[in-house]
Amino acid sequence: MKRLLLFAMVCASISFVSAQKKFDKVSKVTSSEIRWWGYKVVKTEASSHSGTVKLKSGKFNFDHTVLVDGEFIIDMRSMMAGDVSDEDQIKLTDDLKSSNFFEVKKFPVAKFHLTKIIPLANSEYNSTVYGDLTLKGVRKTISFPANVYVTQFTTVIESAKFSLNRRDFKVFYQSSLKDYFIKNEMDIQFKVSTEKIDNDNRVPVKKKK
């Protein structure tokens, strides 16, 4: 019985070590930019708002030189409205961070797990990016067009402006008529990179073999 227990412990230890060595290389994001847009029902310049939010951390995981996936933590406390005057900026930013919308005290971070990149041909963007977005504790699979470049372990992703339905993530005024004057679609656009690279020598992402 003791020998059997010892054998089981050894097997468990080997499994744990193997799990730790899942990726041959981890490449951390060193530069990022995330922008957002929200709209009222009448979508005009005067009835829309835009701003920024910061990436807290990000990384790409590689198997040899093949990009496997990516993990990104978004600091929701850094959300800022950037298209209004100082007084209105503070008011709008506080409203976005409150329980009316993103509840940043309860949900200080959002997460995006990049799961798959499918190369595209004859398109403005060279890839479709797939992944799981967790916002306000709700996880949804999303996809969007992007230009993706991978050279060895250097990675750059420049997304198109794409839409999310805020109600999918419970982002709305609770029991308020105000919510009916806001469009459900909010737009996001971002760029993340592991380091600066020569634009003329970028290599589009390749399919995994």
Side-chain angles (χ1 to χ4, degrees):
M1 184 66 182
K2 289 183 178 180
R3 289 182 178 180
L4 182 61
L5 181 59
L6 180 61
F7 177 77
M9 291 176 66
V10 170
C11 289
S13 299
I14 292 173
S15 298
F16 179 71
V17 171
S18 297
Q20 283 186 316
K21 294 181 66 176
K22 182 179 179 181
F23 303 113
D24 294 313
K25 176 72 175 180
V26 175
S27 184
K28 292 184 178 181
V29 171
T30 56
S31 176
S32 62
E33 180 181 345
I34 308 172
R35 295 198 64 193
W36 59 264
W37 290 263
Y39 309 98
K40 294 182 181 179
V41 172
V42 180
K43 188 174 178 180
T44 65
E45 185 177 351
S47 62
S48 65
H49 291 295
S50 64
T52 60
V53 64
K54 294 181 180 179
L55 191 70
K56 186 175 183 179
S57 64
K59 64 180 181 179
F60 296 96
N61 297 312
F62 289 83
D63 180 10
H64 297 290
T65 58
V66 177
L67 177 61
V68 176
D69 67 0
E71 299 173 15
F72 309 91
I73 307 297
I74 302 161
D75 183 3
M76 298 303 295
R77 294 169 297 186
S78 70
M79 178 174 287
M80 184 71 66
D83 64 332
V84 288
S85 62
D86 291 344
E87 185 176 344
D88 289 337
Q89 182 187 57
I90 294 172
K91 183 178 179 181
L92 177 56
T93 298
D94 288 345
D95 197 25
L96 290 170
K97 292 180 178 181
S98 74
S99 58
N100 289 331
F101 288 101
F102 292 98
E103 292 187 85
V104 299
K105 286 186 178 180
K106 185 176 180 180
F107 303 100
V109 299
K111 299 178 182 179
F112 179 63
H113 178 205
L114 187 158
T115 57
K116 183 168 55 175
I117 298 173
I118 303 298
L120 295 174
N122 303 319
S123 175
E124 180 181 358
Y125 294 91
N126 66 27
S127 302
T128 300
V129 175
Y130 295 82
D132 297 321
L133 175 65
T134 302
L135 181 62
K136 289 190 69 175
V138 179
R139 186 176 68 180
K140 294 284 184 181
T141 298
I142 65 172
S143 63
F144 50 86
N147 281 321
V148 181
Y149 306 97
V150 179
T151 306
Q152 290 295 329
F153 303 113
T154 299
T155 306
V156 176
I157 297 181
E158 301 172 341
S159 83
K161 183 188 286 189
F162 63 95
S163 296
L164 298 174
N165 189 320
R166 61 189 177 87
R167 285 186 165 270
D168 286 345
F169 300 94
K170 301 180 181 179
V171 178
F172 52 83
Y173 276 105
Q174 301 290 334
S175 302
S176 174
L177 287 174
K178 291 181 179 180
D179 196 63
Y180 291 98
F181 294 96
I182 304 171
K183 291 181 91 58
N184 289 334
E185 292 75 23
M186 50 184 282
D187 289 342
I188 306 292
Q189 188 172 31
F190 71 88
K191 177 180 178 180
V192 295
S193 60
T194 54
E195 62 181 68
K196 292 181 179 180
I197 62 174
D198 185 350
N199 288 340
D200 294 330
N201 293 309
R202 290 178 170 183
V203 179
V205 67
K206 296 180 180 179
K207 289 185 178 179
K208 290 187 289 185
K209 296 180 179 180

